Amino acid sequence: GEGRGRGKMAAGGAADAQARFGHSVKGLLTEKVTSCGTDVIALTKQVLKGSRSAELLGQAARNMVMQEDAILHSEDSLRKMAIITTHLQYQ
């Protein structure tokens, strides 16, 4: 009967070690998943910030084009007024 008892204890010890190992693996996995989740959130924030800044850059470019248009239009108007002024002076 002695050998069987020892076998049970060894099996119990092995089961205990296995449980501890499973627990530590589960702990490591949880840790990894958490850090991975954190990384994904950081990456998402970065991507959103990037797309936001791209959007802002596009908006700035459109504004510049509009301003350039307005400047060119004003320049044109000034040129026309100068011509009119010159004509009026000659009359």
Side-chain angles (χ1 to χ4, degrees):
E2 228 176 272
R4 230 185 282 151
R6 210 176 291 135
K8 242 189 229 168
M9 271 176 64
D16 196 41
Q18 206 172 351
R20 272 202 308 268
F21 177 72
H23 193 73
S24 69
V25 166
K26 202 187 284 182
L28 281 172
L29 276 174
T30 306
E31 211 174 286
K32 283 283 174 205
V33 167
T34 305
S35 79
C36 189
T38 307
D39 288 349
V40 167
I41 290 169
L43 180 65
T44 307
K45 279 183 184 172
Q46 203 57 45
V47 166
L48 286 173
K49 197 193 282 182
S51 68
R52 181 83 184 114
S53 56
E55 197 181 308
L56 288 172
L57 274 173
Q59 211 173 342
R62 282 193 296 275
N63 286 346
M64 276 182 71
V65 168
M66 279 167 54
Q67 281 176 342
E68 197 179 21
D69 248 19
I71 290 168
L72 288 174
H73 185 74
S74 301
E75 225 173 19
D76 200 38
S77 298
L78 280 171
R79 205 172 295 116
K80 282 177 186 163
M81 282 201 283
I83 292 168
I84 292 169
T85 309
T86 309
H87 277 298
L88 284 173
Q89 279 171 354
Y90 281 130
Q91 282 177 357

